[in-house]
């Protein structure tokens, strides 16, 4: 495994969806490569930052509208 | 009633991935519920109710989003060729023919020198958000569901009706592009300071 191959496999590695043998080769490469170690670290930071993006809060009036739909549905013949 | 309460916030977030305003998103969710109610008799239980509801929602939202013709650049939809977009520009690796071909020629510079509070600042997050908005639609929906909303992979591929492999490929391409955007952003900032 070289660097140009490794950068395509980082999500497989982080999601744990990699065969054991490939994982061993990935670990082996990382152990001896500063560039790929940095790349992996940046990928982790990227995922962390993405997870910090604010989630939309539901507006109370929207929920009321929805509950209204259900009420109408239940009471319709 | 409980079902609506439970799924509504998540449904609204998903709808907002496809349409431009909150009002339209609310409309989409409402339409999706109507679709759920209409289809309930035909629901065969081959998937979980949750999966089924979100599939209806995604389809409803996509249709509406297309009608809105919301900022989906034509080119970005059609540049999904895997070979056309490597995670890192090929110019940053040693070329074929070089004795160490495929190793870094220009390795990434670590972000340790960026202070934590800068890295986690609103400005950096805005850059992440911009990078995600610029992704092709299928990559955008996967990274939002998986990394922003924190859904497990199985839920993402069920809602979008895609394979496990496809889901992982789309997620990887999306993350790789966001990393590149951050690299450019933080690198430019480093240079300004230097």
């Amino acid at each position: 495994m070289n660097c140009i191959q490794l950068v395509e496999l980082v999500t497989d590695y982080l999601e744990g969806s990699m065969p054991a043998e490939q994982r061993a080769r990935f670990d082996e490469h990382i152990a001896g490569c500063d560039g790929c170690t940095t790349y992996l670290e940046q990928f982790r930071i990227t995922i962390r930052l993405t997870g910090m993006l604010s989630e939309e809060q539901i507006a109370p009036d929207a929920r009321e509208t929805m509950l209204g739909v259900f009420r109408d549905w239940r009471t319709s013949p | 009633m409980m079902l609506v309460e439970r799924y509504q916030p998540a449904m609204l977030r998903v709808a907002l991935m496809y349409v431009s305003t909150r009002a339209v998103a609310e409309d989409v969710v409402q339409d999706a519920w109507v679709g759920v109610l209409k289809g309930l008799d035909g629901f065969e239980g081959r998937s979980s109710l949750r999966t089924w509801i979100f599939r209806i929602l995604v389809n409803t939202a996509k249709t509406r989003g297309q009608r809105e013709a919301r900022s989906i650049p034509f080119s970005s939809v059609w540049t999904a060729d895997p070979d056309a977009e490597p995670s890192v520009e090929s110019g940053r690796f040693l070329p074929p023919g070089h004795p160490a071909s495929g190793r870094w020629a220009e390795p990434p510079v670590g972000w340790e020198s960026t202070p934590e509070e800068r890295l986690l600042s609103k400005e950096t997050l805005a850059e992440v958000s911009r990078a995600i908005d610029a992704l092709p639609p299928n990559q955008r929906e996967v990274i939002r569901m998986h990394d922003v909303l924190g859904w497990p992979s199985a839920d993402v591929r069920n809602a979008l009706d895609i394979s496990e492999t496809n889901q992982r490929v789309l997620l990887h391409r999306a993350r790789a592009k966001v990393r590149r955007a951050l690299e450019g952003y933080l690198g430019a900032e480093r240079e300004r300071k230097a």
Side-chain angles (χ1 to χ4, degrees):
Chain A
M1 188 181 298
N2 60 22
C3 310
I4 203 169
Q5 292 164 336
L6 185 138
V7 298
E8 302 300 341
L9 297 170
V10 176
T11 291
D12 286 13
Y13 181 78
L14 293 175
E15 301 299 309
S17 50
M18 208 179 229
E21 191 234 351
Q22 194 179 32
R23 193 170 186 86
R25 279 187 285 133
F26 190 103
D27 284 331
E28 193 189 332
H29 180 100
I30 283 282
C33 179
D34 289 346
C36 287
T37 301
T38 301
Y39 189 83
L40 179 63
E41 175 61 15
Q42 290 185 348
F43 227 78
R44 286 202 169 102
I45 294 171
T46 300
I47 295 164
R48 185 174 156 214
L49 287 171
T50 305
M52 286 172 64
L53 293 181
S54 62
E55 291 188 8
E56 290 283 332
Q57 297 295 315
I58 180 173
D61 56 329
R63 205 178 64 216
E64 274 313 300
T65 312
M66 274 320 307
L67 295 174
V69 172
F70 266 75
R71 274 191 293 268
D72 293 348
W73 173 65
R74 284 169 57 137
T75 53
S76 65
Chain B
M1 204 64 81
M2 276 178 60
L3 209 59
V4 180
E5 294 269 13
R6 179 141 49 105
Y7 291 144
Q8 184 77 0
M11 289 173 78
L12 201 54
R13 286 193 292 269
V14 170
L16 275 166
M17 291 168 37
Y18 300 93
V19 298
S20 53
T21 67
R22 185 172 192 87
V24 178
E26 283 165 6
D27 223 35
V28 164
V29 173
Q30 190 157 331
D31 284 355
W33 277 118
V34 171
V36 167
L37 297 175
K38 277 191 192 150
L40 213 47
D41 286 343
F43 175 64
E44 288 168 349
R46 275 200 227 114
S47 56
S48 77
L49 185 61
R50 184 182 188 285
T51 294
W52 184 67
I53 289 172
F54 276 93
R55 248 185 229 177
I56 291 177
L57 173 70
V58 167
N59 288 331
T60 309
K62 270 187 187 168
T63 307
R64 180 69 74 96
Q66 278 155 11
R67 219 186 309 151
E68 254 195 338
R70 181 213 178 201
S71 64
I72 298 174
F74 197 70
S75 59
S76 68
V77 180
W78 301 109
T79 52
D81 178 5
D83 299 322
E85 43 174 356
S87 298
V88 177
E89 308 91 303
S90 57
R92 292 186 56 178
F93 299 97
L94 295 168
H98 190 283
S101 166
R103 293 200 65 109
W104 289 102
E106 194 194 319
V109 179
W111 296 335
E112 302 84 36
S113 66
T114 304
E116 179 91 349
E117 67 267 21
R118 185 77 196 89
L119 197 58
L120 305 181
S121 70
K122 255 193 289 182
E123 289 74 17
T124 311
L125 291 180
E127 184 63 28
V128 172
S129 187
R130 270 195 296 277
I132 291 175
D133 286 345
L135 293 170
N138 51 2
Q139 294 177 18
R140 194 168 56 210
E141 57 190 340
V142 169
I143 196 173
R144 281 187 176 158
M145 285 179 179
H146 193 278
D147 287 351
V148 180
L149 302 180
W151 288 16
S153 302
D155 286 0
V156 177
R157 61 176 185 265
N158 283 332
L160 299 175
D161 203 12
I162 56 178
S163 72
E164 187 176 348
T165 304
N166 197 5
Q167 192 262 154
R168 218 163 44 235
V169 168
L170 292 170
L171 181 60
H172 183 73
R173 296 200 189 298
R175 287 170 167 178
K177 282 185 200 148
V178 176
R179 189 210 66 86
R180 274 165 76 160
L182 279 171
E183 182 178 49
Y185 175 75
L186 296 170
E189 188 166 81
R190 210 167 31 233
E191 274 170 30
R192 265 201 308 280
K193 272 202 210 144

